[in-house]
Amino acid sequence: MTLAREREAIQHDFQTKMNEDELLNCMRCGFCLPACPTYIESGMQEKYSPRGRIALMKAVKDGLIEPDEEVERSLDLCLGCRACEPVCPSGVKYGELLEDARDIINQNKKHSLPVRMLRKGVLDGLFPHQNRMINVSSLLGMYQRSGLSKVARKIGFMELFPESMATMEKVLPPVPKRKEMKHRLRHFEPEVVKKATVAFFTGCLMDTMFLETNNATISLLQKVGCEVVVPEGQLCCGALHGHSGEKERAKQMAKQNIEAFDQVQADYIITNAGGCGAFLIGYDHLLKDEPEWADRAKYFVSKLKDISAILVDLQFHHQHLRLPDQIVTYQDSCHLRNVMRTYDEPRKLLKAIGGVTFKEMEGADRCCGSAGIYNIVEPDMSMQILDHKMEHVKETKATTIVTANPGCLLQMKLGIEREGLTGRVRAVHIVDLLLEALNES
């Protein structure tokens, strides 16, 4: 396909598939501008703001401009943090517009052979298959435990990679052995009087690389009176696919997850990763045009809760919690805050811990620059955002940074490493800190 025909196909699909009403909902008021990290970090360039991106989408749809490299670059540079949505007086569903636009471009774009192979290998061959995720993660664990990681750093092998990736390798958590990931229990009884039955969405990376955090999540749920069921057959939420223009694959994964959770008569579906939760809660939109799945998706979404929300509902913060004296700050997961609208609960839990002095960070609600794989595909903008984030962290004088999403957690650890704060400041998932506080008390 020639470039001209490629652009013609993209423009046709913009005209026939983009939501005209949603595009027209944007009043161009500009309330989104101070909330958008890429607008601010780019020197306030309009094309890198939500308002500017919507204007470009509308112009392509109306045939006023071609979907050229500048349009694609504008959309690619978006973090997808959706900080624009809560501040929008018109309630524009920007995240849905962005995913639709990226899907149209991806479906009509002729990628290079290496990019096609990478996308197929990762998006089709790896993330939709939890057994393969376990196998790949176990290889990473062997690399860590064998000492090869230290050798690779010593001989300068990691210097062949971009700086952010090389630093990220240092801050990866210790990966469990394959046996631990492969043979997890599926049912857990409450440790006190039963208050609810919950189905736990374990995720792909969370149940491999962050298995200990998942185990801590289950433990906390047991301690507040939850019977916990881990449905078989669940897999990756599909967020990576949805954000990368692979909507059909994301739909397939959504259907499999809904099918798996339909087998469990649970009061709630619990997630402990903000990015996963935000995509899961959008399953009703993702499947709205499929009559046989639309109602099932709505039912699935109606049961979703973040771990911090259910812990507050079940009064976990009234338990005796204690940690050695320390200053703690909290970095919001963008999707947990902006999509699931969960932000008070994590703070309430942290403030309930004895020995903790909670310091609100300036711009805690602003993206850290992780955004899925954004820190890999857009390292310059990601590191620019992270460096400013770490300035605000240092202003709090915190020794512990808490967050609620694996990508954010790794990004904050990366920031600690880049700022030379290793050993003085730590980053931790809120679930792990709460279990630590309970065990210390």
Side-chain angles (χ1 to χ4, degrees), residues 334-389:
C334 296
H335 290 97
L336 183 59
R337 183 184 182 99
N338 300 326
V339 184
M340 296 190 78
R341 304 299 170 94
T342 301
Y343 40 85
D344 287 336
E345 294 90 337
R347 290 168 169 83
K348 184 175 287 188
L349 291 166
L350 293 173
K351 290 174 182 178
I353 303 173
V356 162
T357 300
F358 181 79
K359 289 285 185 72
E360 187 70 39
M361 184 200 317
E362 182 183 345
D365 58 343
R366 185 165 292 167
C367 185
C368 64
S370 172
I373 58 170
Y374 188 93
N375 53 7
I376 297 174
V377 298
E378 298 288 349
D380 292 341
M381 178 60 77
S382 175
M383 293 305 103
Q384 188 174 326
I385 292 169
L386 177 59
D387 289 345
H388 287 154
K389 176 67 64 177

Side-chain angles (χ1 to χ4, degrees), residues 231-411:
E232 292 192 59
Q234 62 173 299
L235 68 163
C236 172
C237 66
L240 183 61
H241 302 76
H243 301 329
S244 301
E246 296 283 352
K247 185 174 282 190
E248 286 307 312
R249 170 61 83 174
K251 286 182 178 180
Q252 294 170 18
M253 297 165 78
K255 291 172 185 176
Q256 185 168 333
N257 281 325
I258 291 170
E259 191 75 50
F261 280 83
D262 273 355
Q263 307 306 311
V264 180
Q265 297 301 310
D267 300 302
Y268 305 105
I269 297 170
I270 302 301
T271 176
N272 62 2
C276 295
F279 199 75
L280 293 170
I281 213 166
Y283 275 5
D284 55 347
H285 170 73
L286 189 65
L287 300 172
K288 67 181 180 357
D289 296 325
E290 302 196 27
E292 69 275 25
W293 287 97
D295 286 342
R296 294 176 73 179
K298 287 179 183 176
Y299 183 66
F300 177 92
V301 167
S302 72
K303 292 189 172 189
L304 272 170
K305 268 185 181 290
D306 180 69
I307 178 64
S308 62
I310 194 170
L311 288 178
V312 169
D313 286 350
L314 298 180
Q315 306 297 304
F316 178 82
H317 53 300
H318 290 163
Q319 299 199 36
H320 183 59
L321 304 170
R322 184 78 203 179
L323 285 172
D325 291 351
Q326 58 191 283
I327 298 174
V328 171
T329 195
Y330 179 70
Q331 165 62 28
D332 283 285
S333 158
C334 296
H335 290 97
L336 183 59
R337 183 184 182 99
N338 300 326
V339 184
M340 296 190 78
R341 304 299 170 94
T342 301
Y343 40 85
D344 287 336
E345 294 90 337
R347 290 168 169 83
K348 184 175 287 188
L349 291 166
L350 293 173
K351 290 174 182 178
I353 303 173
V356 162
T357 300
F358 181 79
K359 289 285 185 72
E360 187 70 39
M361 184 200 317
E362 182 183 345
D365 58 343
R366 185 165 292 167
C367 185
C368 64
S370 172
I373 58 170
Y374 188 93
N375 53 7
I376 297 174
V377 298
E378 298 288 349
D380 292 341
M381 178 60 77
S382 175
M383 293 305 103
Q384 188 174 326
I385 292 169
L386 177 59
D387 289 345
H388 287 154
K389 176 67 64 177
M390 293 308 297
E391 290 173 9
H392 296 316
V393 168
K394 287 187 284 188
E395 287 168 4
T396 68
K397 296 183 168 52
T399 54
T400 302
I401 309 168
V402 179
T403 189
N405 187 61
C408 302
L409 179 59
L410 288 179
Q411 186 81 338

Side-chain angles (χ1 to χ4, degrees), residues 162-181:
E163 180 189 353
S164 59
M165 286 185 66
T167 308
M168 185 68 77
E169 186 267 346
K170 290 183 183 179
V171 301
L172 290 174
V175 178
K177 294 181 180 178
R178 187 175 186 277
K179 185 178 180 180
E180 296 176 64
M181 294 185 279

